[in-house]
Amino acid sequence: MKTDVFIGGGGIGGLTLALKLAQRGIQVILAERMAVKAPTYKGELLQPKSMQIFDELGIYEQVCNRSNEIKVLDMLELSSSLQVKDQSFMDYNVLPGKYNAAYMMHHEELKSVILKAACEYDNFQYLKGTACKGYGDKTAVLQKGTEKFEVEAQFFFGAEGRSSVTRKAMEIEVKQTTYNHHFLTVTFPRANDFTDGKIISTYNRFLGLFPLPDDQVRSVYLIPPGDYKQLKEKPISHFHKLYTDLAPVVDGYVQQLSDWKKIQLMIPVMYHANSYVKGNKAIIGDACHAVHPMAGEGMNMAIQDADILGELTADMFEHKKNTFRQFEVVRKRAL
């Protein structure tokens, strides 16, 4: 198989990059290891800059129509007696122009919108359930089931996340550090008039509530490292009370969670690769920089990586001039 660009990883970043390139007439093959929906939580809060990029890609209206618009993030600081001590707002309305809101959208739903848009182009090919196992001099070595084959390309882009095969092939090492906390995360029903976000904190507790469409809310609750096992041994009503103490707005809704198995543990990590580009390979998203998961920061950075790398690559093909290294210059300056 031959193509202009090979992309490893079909998450939000990889798909955004593929759509950008396909629209510019570049031949793209994308390999996605997962054959089913990802079982773990991924970012869902789309910030204004990402919405601007999606508008330029022609999928803005589709994303808006399948999201919950968030105009305000209400940030409450509570006292030890759980009374409101301080209150502030992150008001997106102060932003000028069209992109003055954030949007919550189910991660897999967003992937399907971007993939469908990319599949409208004959120069895009999607290989589902296909893992990139490594690279030759000018090829990517792929495996689907027991079948192994190669894809020849001019450029190879890694969007595979933390355990990036492309990053390893580039011989780029990252030093991972952990934060001094973990998170519990789960989605449950919400009142239909609860549509803006809430971040509630005390001196030792933190709860983030980000409303999704279809009367659901995504939650993140901070816990000390190592507490997850002990918490799971308690009745689920203990988890309910952790939430309702801080956010009475979820009372009557969070109780619809009846099993600890639906609640995921998130262990946030951080690293930053010292290089994003080597030879004819580049990495984007979590492959090159893992950040704190709050407010969808990692996903939004990956979208912006894809936009910049896609624009640069298309220009290189158009003008037949190698300016590949500029991707790293532009993005590292931005970060």
Side-chain angles (χ1 to χ4, degrees):
M1 300 175 69
K2 290 186 178 183
T3 188
D4 293 328
V5 170
F6 169 79
I7 300 172
I12 301 299
L15 288 168
T16 301
L17 176 56
L19 176 57
K20 178 95 175 181
L21 292 171
Q23 289 183 345
R24 292 289 296 270
I26 309 300
Q27 289 187 329
V28 182
I29 292 178
L30 183 150
E32 165 53 38
R33 178 177 59 86
M34 297 288 292
V36 296
K37 293 181 178 180
T40 55
Y41 166 68
K42 302 287 185 178
E44 292 166 321
L45 184 63
L46 291 162
Q47 298 290 356
K49 178 63 178 179
S50 296
M51 296 304 294
Q52 181 181 7
I53 291 169
F54 287 155
D55 199 5
E56 292 166 355
L57 293 172
I59 57 173
Y60 176 84
E61 295 298 334
Q62 295 175 64
V63 171
C64 289
N65 292 339
R66 295 158 90 164
S67 302
N68 174 61
E69 182 184 67
I70 293 180
K71 284 287 191 180
V72 175
L73 281 177
D74 185 10
M75 291 175 279
L76 296 171
E77 183 182 353
L78 307 183
S79 66
S80 57
S81 60
L82 303 182
Q83 301 301 308
V84 176
K85 182 179 177 182
D86 193 18
Q87 184 173 16
S88 58
F89 301 92
M90 182 183 290
D91 189 347
Y92 288 99
N93 283 296
V94 302
L95 296 174
K98 180 178 181 179
Y99 313 106
N100 61 352
Y103 291 82
M104 279 293 289
M105 183 175 185
H106 288 286
H107 193 85
E108 293 295 325
E109 183 84 355
L110 178 57
K111 283 169 60 176
S112 69
V113 167
I114 306 171
L115 177 59
K116 183 178 179 182
C119 286
E120 293 178 0
Y121 295 86
D122 293 336
N123 52 321
F124 171 72
Q125 187 174 355
Y126 181 71
L127 305 179
K128 184 179 180 180
T130 304
C132 179
K133 308 300 287 186
Y135 292 90
D137 291 338
K138 297 181 180 180
T139 61
V141 181
L142 307 183
Q143 183 170 345
K144 183 173 185 177
T146 58
E147 178 192 5
K148 287 188 176 182
F149 56 99
E150 295 185 352
V151 172
E152 182 180 331
Q154 293 189 49
F155 294 100
F156 301 91
F157 299 150
E160 317 99 322
R162 296 180 188 177
S163 56
S164 171
V165 174
T166 310
R167 187 183 67 231
K168 292 174 183 175
M170 295 164 68
E171 298 181 336
I172 295 173
E173 299 291 335
V174 293
K175 185 178 180 181
Q176 181 173 296
T177 59
T178 57
Y179 291 87
N180 63 352
H181 54 266
H182 293 171
F183 286 110
L184 300 179
T185 182
V186 67
T187 295
F188 55 88
R190 63 170 171 86
N192 58 19
D193 60 350
F194 174 25
T195 55
D196 282 324
K198 288 186 180 294
I199 295 176
I200 306 126
S201 62
T202 71
Y203 72 99
N204 66 345
R205 298 171 69 180
F206 176 97
L207 173 63
L209 297 168
F210 303 93
L212 282 156
D214 304 324
D215 293 342
Q216 293 182 307
V217 60
R218 166 64 70 176
S219 67
V220 287
Y221 185 85
L222 184 147
I223 63 171
D227 275 20
Y228 183 57
K229 185 177 180 181
Q230 292 177 319
L231 280 170
K232 287 177 66 178
E233 293 172 353
K234 296 182 179 182
I236 193 67
S237 58
H238 176 76
F239 175 81
H240 299 156
K241 191 171 188 308
L242 292 176
Y243 274 52
T244 56
D245 280 352
L246 296 181
V249 70
V250 303
D251 197 6
Y253 297 93
V254 69
Q255 288 89 342
Q256 295 182 48
L257 285 170
S258 58
D259 194 334
W260 276 100
K261 292 179 180 178
K262 294 184 178 180
I263 303 167
Q264 292 185 21
L265 174 67
M266 289 173 56
I267 303 177
V269 300
M270 174 179 60
Y271 58 77
H272 197 166
N274 58 18
S275 179
Y276 301 171
V277 176
K278 187 174 182 180
N280 62 349
K281 297 181 179 67
I283 48 177
I284 68 170
D286 282 355
C288 56
H289 43 66
V291 296
H292 198 275
M294 186 52 59
E297 185 177 2
M299 176 184 66
N300 287 276
M301 287 170 63
I303 292 168
Q304 293 170 37
D305 285 348
D307 180 57
I308 297 298
L309 182 57
E311 193 71 27
L312 176 63
T313 304
D315 284 346
M316 285 195 301
F317 275 97
E318 182 178 344
H319 301 293
K320 296 180 171 55
K321 183 178 179 181
N322 191 340
T323 54
F324 203 27
R325 181 61 63 179
Q326 289 301 307
F327 170 62
E328 187 175 295
V329 173
V330 171
R331 285 308 286 154
K332 279 206 168 186
R333 185 181 299 159
L335 297 173

